[in-house]
Amino acid sequence: MVAYSGDLADRLQDERVASVLFLGAVGDQPRAQYQEAYNRANQRVDQAKGPYSDQRRAIADLPRSFEARLKDVDDGLADLPGTRSQVLNGKFKGDEARKSYDALINDLLAIRDSAIQLAGDNDLSDRMRAAAAVARQKEYLAQRRVVVHEALTQGTLTQNLRQQFTKSETGGEQALESFKAVANQADSEYFDQTVSGPDRREADNYTSFVRGNISGDMKKPPFTRDQWDGAMVANAKLMRTVETRLDGAVVRHADELRSDTQRQVFLETGLLLSMLLLAILFAYLVARSMARSLRDLRQGNFSVFIA
């Protein structure tokens, strides 16, 4: 279920930024273009929602806190059509739409935290924490993507937007530190090798400009809106690749643990059955021996009586 929630969160991150771009568009042609992009994002989310919902219905007997977390996600998904309607009708401002998506995405990411509590194995827990840290880092990147789009729309990096930008950078750094603290060497090296290259460098260059933009003027940055978005999307895909790999490793490890547990149960059950059969056989042999002894005793008494 964690893997399905990760896929759904990934699609919702794209829908969130699409809503901000549509609400900030000026002119008929740009609005039509961004509306089409928003509708496509809606469709991708709905496609990911199906597998998640199927898995959600198949899970039962969870701790109360976990069920409460899933209920929050259920409510957020139920409210999603209303959010979309308000975006398309222009009743939401950009920051209002963003906050609406933030809540649902954070609830989906929190599923990972709840699932870790049920792991029951230290190695499995560490792998799940590593995947959760990458998912959080990717969400901070997605938030930074939205913040800069809002700054480009307003033409300035306001104090509020700067604070959000800094918060997203700090959160991403902390998430990376958390990942490095629990990831095994192979997963850590895979992250370093994957989240690198020209896509990472381009994203870092653009981010450095925004970070060092003391005046906050965003009317003529050294990149276009499409270049910024393309760099963020490419970097997010690199992180998503790592996240997907880690989720796959978690599923395989959990399957191995379940198989080991089943084999242990079968062995213990077989041992108990063997002991039971031996006890029955022993009781049978004892009873048979006693029956023979009694028969011999009766025959001996009968012979004495005859004599």
Side-chain angles (χ1 to χ4, degrees), residues 61-262:
D61 300 325
L62 293 172
R64 185 175 300 176
S65 60
F66 203 159
E67 284 288 355
R69 179 68 65 189
L70 294 178
K71 179 63 166 54
D72 290 339
V73 174
D74 293 342
D75 293 342
L77 291 175
D79 293 340
L80 192 55
T83 298
R84 291 170 174 172
S85 177
Q86 293 187 74
V87 168
L88 292 173
N89 292 332
K91 294 182 179 180
F92 264 162
K93 295 181 180 179
D95 60 338
E96 292 174 332
R98 173 176 51 79
K99 290 177 182 178
S100 179
Y101 284 104
D102 285 351
L104 178 53
I105 292 170
N106 284 328
D107 285 337
L108 282 166
L109 295 179
I111 289 177
R112 293 179 178 274
D113 300 327
S114 298
I116 291 171
Q117 306 304 318
L118 305 179
D121 178 82
N122 290 336
D123 189 30
L124 180 61
S125 294
D126 285 345
R127 289 192 168 192
M128 294 175 72
R129 288 189 177 93
V134 174
R136 284 290 180 185
Q137 186 184 10
K138 179 173 172 290
E139 166 58 8
Y140 284 120
L141 176 71
Q143 291 177 10
R144 193 152 62 250
R145 176 187 175 192
V146 173
V147 168
V148 174
H149 273 304
E150 290 183 329
L152 291 171
T153 296
Q154 298 179 33
T156 181
L157 187 69
T158 65
Q159 185 62 28
N160 181 43
L161 290 176
R162 186 181 295 279
Q163 290 175 352
Q164 293 178 41
F165 181 87
T166 301
K167 181 180 178 181
S168 70
E169 281 205 299
T170 302
E173 292 169 358
Q174 292 174 344
L176 179 58
E177 291 175 359
S178 297
F179 168 76
K180 292 293 185 178
V182 296
N184 59 39
Q185 183 177 351
D187 289 339
S188 181
E189 291 176 352
Y190 181 77
F191 179 94
D192 293 339
Q193 294 168 1
T194 303
V195 187
S196 61
D199 289 335
R200 172 65 184 272
R201 288 193 295 272
E202 183 179 17
D204 287 346
N205 289 337
Y206 296 161
T207 299
S208 296
F209 167 80
V210 178
R211 185 190 309 117
N213 187 356
I214 305 300
S215 69
D217 185 4
M218 294 292 290
K219 293 183 177 65
K220 294 182 179 181
F223 51 81
T224 65
R225 184 185 293 275
D226 289 342
Q227 286 176 324
W228 167 258
D229 202 62
M232 293 297 104
V233 169
N235 204 18
K237 285 183 178 178
L238 299 179
M239 292 185 183
R240 178 60 181 158
T241 299
V242 177
E243 181 186 350
T244 302
R245 173 189 165 102
L246 293 175
D247 284 340
V250 166
V251 171
R252 290 190 296 273
H253 193 176
D255 287 341
E256 291 172 0
L257 289 174
R258 182 167 56 250
S259 297
D260 290 344
T261 300
Q262 290 175 343

Side-chain angles (χ1 to χ4, degrees), residues 16-35:
R16 174 177 57 192
V17 74
S19 72
V20 171
L21 289 172
F22 170 72
L23 291 171
V26 178
D28 292 340
Q29 184 175 352
R31 283 184 62 82
Q33 175 186 346
Y34 286 125
Q35 180 175 347

Side-chain angles (χ1 to χ4, degrees), residues 231-300:
M232 293 297 104
V233 169
N235 204 18
K237 285 183 178 178
L238 299 179
M239 292 185 183
R240 178 60 181 158
T241 299
V242 177
E243 181 186 350
T244 302
R245 173 189 165 102
L246 293 175
D247 284 340
V250 166
V251 171
R252 290 190 296 273
H253 193 176
D255 287 341
E256 291 172 0
L257 289 174
R258 182 167 56 250
S259 297
D260 290 344
T261 300
Q262 290 175 343
R263 282 194 295 269
Q264 184 67 24
V265 170
F266 290 152
L267 287 173
E268 292 178 357
T269 302
L271 180 60
L272 289 174
L273 289 175
S274 299
M275 293 176 65
L276 179 60
L277 290 174
L278 287 173
I280 293 173
L281 178 60
F282 179 74
Y284 168 75
L285 293 175
V286 170
R288 183 178 179 183
S289 176
M290 292 179 64
R292 183 183 299 110
S293 298
L294 289 173
R295 186 171 62 252
D296 293 343
L297 181 61
R298 285 197 299 270
Q299 290 178 349

Side-chain angles (χ1 to χ4, degrees), residues 10-52:
D10 180 63
R11 307 289 181 88
L12 280 166
Q13 287 166 347
D14 287 337
E15 181 171 326
R16 174 177 57 192
V17 74
S19 72
V20 171
L21 289 172
F22 170 72
L23 291 171
V26 178
D28 292 340
Q29 184 175 352
R31 283 184 62 82
Q33 175 186 346
Y34 286 125
Q35 180 175 347
E36 183 180 353
Y38 183 61
N39 290 334
R40 289 197 301 268
N42 295 168
Q43 294 172 0
R44 289 192 293 268
V45 167
D46 291 342
Q47 290 171 355
K49 186 170 65 175
Y52 168 83

